[in-house]
Amino acid sequence: MQDNYSWQGQRSSGKDLPGQVVLVLQGGGALGSYQAGVYQALYEAGIEPDWIIGTSIGAINASLIAGNEPQDRLPRLKDFWKRMEQNPIWSFRNAFPGFNKKMSYWSTVTNGIPGFFRPNPLAHAGDSYPLGADRAGYYSTAPLEQTLGEPVDFNLVNRCMPRLTVGAAHVRNSEKRYFDSRDCELGVKHIIASGALPPAFPAIRIDGELYWDGGILSYTPTEAVFDDNPRKDSLIFAVQDAGHENLHT
């Protein structure tokens, strides 16, 4: 993602587009960094989404967009993904091709990612130490709650401009649940629940119910647009991983 994100003063009014602009951001871990580039392309084209729908890592990016004023969105996305970078202390790129990638992988497995998740040592204690449903994961996502609490203004999110919808999987009944800023007040727990992928991450409790990563039931949550009531004409930008990253409309 480039640094060309100065506010241009004039954005698309949407009058020349065939409906509401919907940005759909799926799950996929590192795919999330490409989603930031897709938003940058839309921004530079003068297009701002009216509705953002996200699942898993897509929900995190969606909250960073919806939870900031237009001129601040790209800087917030860039700052978040900069924090997620894994930079090995020693580089063996030339001497041992591929070694840096393996070292980064094992560093993540062993230490987690600062600001995102950290190891849960009690997960290896066996049945002699019951964790309980709220902590039943190999990692804790508590750092992510603090990380998102800083750059995401949930008061702005709940103004519903743009509308934000995040998908999660209801643990008890195995049904998809969409949390929508049009219908309820969203907070950081809703975003983390959308990315709580088991068994790595524990389920997140919202209103007494447990939720896992929405990608378990719907990886690309485009169906939320077609199930919306009332249904509106929509121009959908969906970021999908089909061997390589493309912008599909």
Side-chain angles (χ1 to χ4, degrees), residues 50 66-71 73 153-164 180-186:
D50 302 299
N68 282 282
E69 299 288 354
Q71 68 271 22
R73 292 168 181 170
D153 183 348
F154 283 96
N155 289 325
L156 196 58
V157 167
N158 290 304
R159 281 168 44 190
C160 213
M161 296 185 299
R163 177 181 173 188
L164 174 63
D180 193 327
S181 65
R182 185 188 65 179
D183 304 322
C184 65
E185 185 171 306
L186 299 186

Side-chain angles (χ1 to χ4, degrees), residues 207-229:
D207 296 330
E209 297 288 340
L210 293 169
Y211 292 90
W212 272 330
D213 191 305
I216 295 173
L217 298 175
S218 179
Y219 201 55
T220 305
T222 313
E223 74 275 0
V225 183
F226 304 114
D227 293 339
D228 195 31
N229 186 20

Side-chain angles (χ1 to χ4, degrees), residues 76-92:
R76 294 292 185 270
L77 285 166
K78 181 178 179 181
D79 289 346
F80 175 82
W81 285 102
K82 190 69 177 177
R83 292 185 66 173
M84 298 303 110
E85 285 184 0
Q86 294 287 73
N87 296 310
I89 299 175
W90 300 284
S91 178
F92 300 92

Side-chain angles (χ1 to χ4, degrees), residues 88 90-107:
W90 300 284
S91 178
F92 300 92
R93 188 184 307 275
N94 296 327
F96 304 101
F99 184 80
N100 277 11
K101 184 177 180 180
K102 291 181 179 179
M103 189 161 59
S104 178
Y105 167 80
W106 284 110
S107 174

Side-chain angles (χ1 to χ4, degrees), residues 32-49:
S33 61
Y34 292 91
Q35 294 173 355
V38 169
Y39 174 75
Q40 178 174 350
L42 291 174
Y43 177 90
E44 292 176 349
I47 300 172
E48 289 289 349

